[in-house]
Structure formats: C-alpha cells, structure tokens
Amino acid sequence: MVLSSPLDKLKRWFQPYVALLRTRVHIKRRVSTSIGVLLIPFTVIIILLMISFSQRPAAVVNIFVPELPPLAKKINDKYDGVFQAGCLEPEVDGERANAAFVVLARNSELEGVIQSLKSIERHFNRWYHYPYVFLNDGEFNTTFKDTIMKYVSSPVEWGKVDSTMWGFPDWVDKADAKEAIALQGDDAIMYGGMESYHHMCRFYSGFFYKHELLKKYKWYWRLEPEISYFCDITYDPFIHMERANKTYGWTIAVKELRETVPNLFRYASAYKRNHNLQSQGLWEMFLEKPEKVQPQPTSTPDPDNWTKKPSLPEIDSDAMEGERYNMCHFWSNFEIASLDFFRSKQYEDFFNSLDKTGGFWRERWGDAPVHSLAAGILLGKNDVHYFRDFGYRHTTIQHCPTNAPDKQLPRTPWFDKNLKDWKKAKEEDEYWDNWDSVQKNGVGCRCRCDTDIDDVEDKQGSCLPQWVDVMGGWATSK
C-alpha cells in the first residue's frame, strides 16, 4: 500500500480548478484564450484595492452611525424646556389660573366639536375643569347647546361675534373686497375664495381677545373642531406658563403656502423698521438663511465701448431690508397664550398697521403667520414655549412625542357617559390603556400616537429646525 504524501493530496485537490483555468474560450471566430488569462486583470484590480485599503490611516475610517429622528433628540434648554417630562399625579385640588378654552364654531360643526371635547376632557380637563367660551358669528341653537353640555365637566359661556369683529370694516369698499376674494377662488388659493374664512382669520388676528366674554380672563387655550390629543396632560400648562414667565405656547410649526401671504412679510417688516424694534432673538426663526455670495471680479471700463453700462445686481422683490420670509409660523389652531399680550398697545398697533393694508381680503392672510410674526417682532426666545410633550393632530398634520422612560404612571379610566353601549365605551377607553413604549429622550405621558400618517417633524414643511436653531441647537444628535 502506497501512502499519499500531503503534497500529493494538495495536487489532487487543486487539479479540477487548474483544469478549469486551462479551459479555452473563443473570443472571436479564430481567437481563443484560457479562462485563467481572462481573470488576470480582475485579480490585479482586487489586489490593488486590498493594498490601498490596508494603507489607509485608521483615523479616516468612519463607522456610519444613523442620525436620530427629530422626536428622539433633545433640544438645548437654555431658553425653553419641557415643563414636565412624563406623568404626574394631577393636582385636582390645586390652584387654577385665570384661564379658559376658546371654541369658535357653528351649529353645523357639532360632531367635530364633540370629537374635540371628548379628547381634551379625556386627556386633561377631567382633572382641571377649566371653563369653555363658545363663540359664533350667528346664534347657537338649543340642540347644539344641550349636546355640548353633555360632554363637558366645567361651566360653559355662549357668545356671539357681532359685525364690529366679523365681516368687512366700514372703511372698506365691500364690492372691491368681494371681487378680490372671488379672484383668489379663481386662482385656486386654498380657502382664498371663502369669504367666511377671511373673516375668521381677521377675527383671530385682531378681535377675539376683545370679546366681552374674554375680558375677565388672562389666558386662553384655543380649541378647534375635529382635533385630537394623544397624550395625557397631567400638569396645568397655564400655571406653568405663569411660573416660567412665558407669553405664547405652541406645539406645531409649519410653513405657510407662499401664495396666501405674498406681501404679509413686507408689511410686518416695515412695522418693525418704522418702530425701530430690534430682534430679541426670535425674529430670526422666520427668516431665510442668507446665501453665501461669491465675490465678483471688478470690471474695468472698455475704452472701445464707452456706451456700455455696468451691470447692476439683481433686486430680490421678496426681500425687505435684505431679509426674506421663510414662511414658517406657529400653527395657531393650537395655542396657549397670554391674552394680555394680544391686548397690549404694541400688538394692537401691529395688527392695525396690517389691517389698514387690506391684506386680510386682498390676500388670504391667516392668523397663524400674523401671530407668529408679531411674536418674532415683540417677544424674545425666553417668552415662547414649545409644548413638545403634547400629542396633537388637526386634519392631516400631527405632532406626537415618544413616552418618557421611568416616568409613566397607571392610568385612571375615563368613560364616555353619552355612549349607550357600555361595551363600546369600555373598549374605547381601553384603547388608551395600551400606550406606546418609552424611548430615550421621550417626554410624553401615556401617549398613543396615530400611525396612519407621519409626524410633521418628519416632513419637509416642518419648521422645527428653525426653532432649534434660534434656541441654541440640538443637545443630542446621535
């Protein structure tokens, strides 16, 4: 018996591969070569790449770490921070602020108002029982009033908005104003052709805080029909706004449609300039970042063409004092704010300066950019609060935070007593018992977010980056 040497075994193992490399293939009709020859260029390239990578300094080899989504990051809290991350035991017998919910609605919006009331009562007002002020440019009927009283846990006042606050002012040519609104409808500007929408925006811009029913209050929380809250609010935001010396609070900031406010920024900027008002740090949130201008070479006169005039720089028709509006605004269908701010002489002068231009009907100015630009001019970074811990949705725009780790508490049930089917009422409440999981840097209390749409912070139209910039940047990025 002949024993095979290790070398013989190795030869037998390689023999099939060597035969394969010797196999000849035809490149053209009369030209052939072996597979081994064809593989030589590829082998050389692989060897060179391996040598190149082996000689790279270790310092330049980066390991990719994905950036956290906006809601998972912590914002610099030098000027503003979350009042309460996670849950507290509500102070059901604690002090109360001089505050109320304000609801502007019509009889036809009853179902949408019920949705909003159920949401705010479930998540907040069942503990704090702040009153409601309902306003309407008409009369509320008995059905509306009786139904509303079944869904609230606190007193309700009913008010009518009269013609001094709703409609065209006496000094306006009504035919001209109506024509301007009709043209906006023809141009398919969102809500531009709806006369009542123009009146509503003007009312919320310069009149709601003057209504007789609101004169006794210092704070207001705006409540729109067809809104939803997703987190339990177990502290009193009014009290915290007072303690922190805040003036205005928001939860969603987005960009306005440019065609609705083509001239608003010009007038707002002019008011700021004419009254010699300097930015307190918030105005910059509403400005486009200036582009870096490349220095242009200076041209020498052409002696052979003395009639040629030097070229002038292009004029930006949208800029004021070198500043351009980036369309950002606090979405005012939710806002918690000091009524004294709106009643101040500075805000009143600002609103009147805008009102006299006719922009509330010649264009489709919304109260959201009006409030926001006023805040940018008249308030500082310390005066405004981001209710980041509030989960909120209106139409298809939503902000919903992640839940705070180690700060969730057991939930007390809240049943809709108006549902005749007890099983349905129980199922509806049990939905909120299964809140979302906690996450690092989360701030919410027992939040359960809708998943049918993305949060606004994950969309291109969000203005959270602009807020973060003026507030000092992210505290955490990865």
Side-chain angles (χ1 to χ4, degrees):
M1 181 177 180
V2 180
L3 296 176
S4 300
S5 68
L7 184 59
D8 292 334
K9 291 181 179 180
L10 189 63
K11 287 180 179 179
R12 286 199 299 272
W13 189 84
F14 272 111
Q15 195 170 6
Y17 299 102
V18 172
L20 176 65
L21 293 175
R22 288 176 175 173
T23 302
R24 300 189 70 80
V25 293
H26 288 276
I27 301 174
K28 294 182 179 179
R29 172 178 277 185
R30 296 182 180 181
V31 178
S32 66
T33 186
S34 67
I35 292 177
V37 173
L38 290 175
L39 290 177
I40 289 174
F42 300 101
T43 306
V44 171
I45 292 172
I46 292 172
I47 292 172
L48 291 175
L49 287 173
M50 293 176 66
I51 293 172
S52 174
F53 277 106
S54 67
Q55 293 179 347
R56 283 185 70 184
V60 299
V61 178
N62 295 321
I63 299 175
F64 174 72
V65 178
E67 187 171 328
L68 293 172
L71 288 179
K73 297 182 188 178
K74 188 176 180 182
I75 302 174
N76 188 317
D77 59 3
K78 179 180 179 181
Y79 302 100
D80 179 62
V82 174
F83 288 147
Q84 172 61 43
C87 305
L88 289 176
E89 287 294 343
E91 296 184 11
V92 293
D93 297 319
E95 66 172 316
R96 295 290 182 266
N98 182 13
F101 291 100
V102 175
V103 186
L104 179 66
R106 289 174 168 165
N107 295 312
S108 59
E109 297 176 290
L110 179 58
E111 290 303 316
V113 174
I114 290 173
Q115 174 187 323
S116 302
L117 291 175
K118 286 179 63 174
S119 188
I120 197 64
E121 287 287 335
R122 182 190 303 277
H123 294 293
F124 171 75
N125 214 38
R126 59 161 155 161
W127 300 300
Y128 292 93
H129 308 298
Y130 276 101
Y132 295 87
V133 175
F134 276 80
L135 301 176
N136 187 351
D137 64 313
E139 297 288 350
F140 287 112
N141 60 37
T142 303
T143 301
F144 188 95
K145 290 181 178 181
D146 291 346
T147 305
I148 292 302
M149 295 306 297
K150 296 177 182 179
Y151 288 91
V152 297
S153 63
S154 54
V156 176
E157 292 182 279
W158 310 94
K160 183 179 179 180
V161 181
D162 62 32
S163 59
T164 63
M165 298 183 176
W166 192 276
F168 300 112
D170 295 338
W171 45 268
V172 168
D173 184 325
K174 292 183 180 180
D176 180 63
K178 287 177 179 289
E179 182 181 358
I181 291 172
L183 288 174
Q184 292 172 55
D186 294 342
D187 291 338
I189 294 174
M190 182 176 286
Y191 306 128
M194 297 173 58
E195 184 178 315
S196 62
Y197 194 87
H198 288 261
H199 296 330
M200 182 271 289
C201 291
R202 184 171 178 264
F203 170 74
Y204 264 131
S205 293
F207 294 98
F208 81 97
Y209 49 88
K210 302 174 188 174
H211 195 279
E212 189 66 30
L213 293 181
L214 289 177
K215 286 184 177 179
K216 59 180 174 289
Y217 293 111
K218 184 177 179 180
W219 296 92
Y220 101 110
W221 183 334
R222 181 165 163 180
L223 196 67
E224 290 283 305
E226 297 184 46
I227 58 93
S228 299
Y229 287 89
F230 303 117
C231 310
D232 283 343
I233 304 165
T234 53
Y235 66 91
D236 188 332
F238 296 119
I239 294 295
H240 279 72
M241 290 283 282
E242 285 187 337
R243 290 175 180 170
N245 199 28
K246 298 289 185 178
T247 299
Y248 185 90
W250 62 280
T251 191
I252 289 177
V254 291
K255 293 191 175 182
E256 182 61 285
L257 299 173
R258 188 174 295 274
E259 62 269 20
T260 66
V261 289
N263 289 292
L264 175 60
F265 182 76
R266 288 191 180 94
Y267 293 117
S269 181
Y271 174 86
K272 177 176 177 289
R273 181 183 68 251
N274 293 338
H275 289 78
N276 197 28
L277 297 172
Q278 302 300 314
S279 170
Q280 301 175 59
L282 188 62
W283 177 248
E284 286 69 20
M285 177 180 172
F286 307 106
L287 304 181
E288 286 188 358
K289 290 185 177 180
E291 297 180 0
K292 292 183 179 180
V293 180
Q294 298 295 331
Q296 299 294 325
T298 55
S299 57
T300 55
D302 184 357
D304 298 327
N305 188 8
W306 58 270
T307 59
K308 183 180 180 181
K309 295 181 180 180
S311 60
L312 296 175
E314 292 186 6
I315 297 175
D316 187 344
S317 60
D318 291 329
M320 284 293 294
E321 302 292 310
E323 299 174 338
R324 284 175 56 95
Y325 184 27
N326 61 12
M327 298 294 138
C328 283
H329 64 281
F330 304 125
W331 214 31
S332 61
N333 49 75
F334 166 91
E335 58 185 11
I336 296 176
S338 166
L339 290 168
D340 288 341
F341 167 65
F342 293 111
R343 293 169 183 144
S344 68
K345 184 180 185 302
Q346 280 191 316
Y347 182 85
E348 187 71 7
D349 289 345
F350 173 74
F351 167 73
N352 286 331
S353 71
L354 297 182
D355 197 33
K356 292 297 183 182
T357 68
F360 284 104
W361 48 89
R362 294 186 184 281
E363 299 177 8
R364 205 233 67 193
W365 294 355
D367 52 277
V370 171
H371 288 187
S372 301
L373 291 174
I377 293 171
L378 303 175
L379 300 178
K381 293 185 282 190
N382 289 307
D383 301 318
V384 179
H385 179 66
Y386 174 23
F387 283 101
R388 198 181 191 192
D389 52 315
F390 284 22
Y392 176 78
R393 175 174 177 172
H394 180 52
T395 63
T396 59
I397 299 181
Q398 168 182 302
H399 160 77
C400 195
T402 55
N403 284 317
D406 303 321
K407 294 183 179 180
Q408 304 302 305
L409 295 175
R411 177 180 172 275
T412 304
W414 182 90
F415 301 112
D416 180 1
K417 59 183 182 294
N418 296 288
L419 286 176
K420 297 179 181 179
D421 186 341
W422 169 248
K423 183 179 179 181
K424 184 176 180 181
K426 190 171 183 291
E427 289 176 352
E428 187 180 86
D429 187 69
E430 287 176 346
Y431 170 88
W432 297 101
D433 282 335
N434 301 309
W435 56 80
D436 298 339
S437 60
V438 301
Q439 293 188 29
K440 181 181 178 181
N441 296 326
V443 294
C445 169
R446 299 190 289 259
C447 303
R448 183 166 181 178
C449 306
D450 278 354
T451 57
D452 59 326
I453 59 173
D454 293 330
D455 273 9
V456 66
E457 290 83 2
D458 298 324
K459 297 180 179 180
Q460 193 172 5
S462 171
C463 289
L464 182 62
Q466 287 78 2
W467 167 261
V468 172
D469 282 349
V470 300
M471 301 309 284
W474 296 106
T476 56
S477 59
K478 295 182 178 179

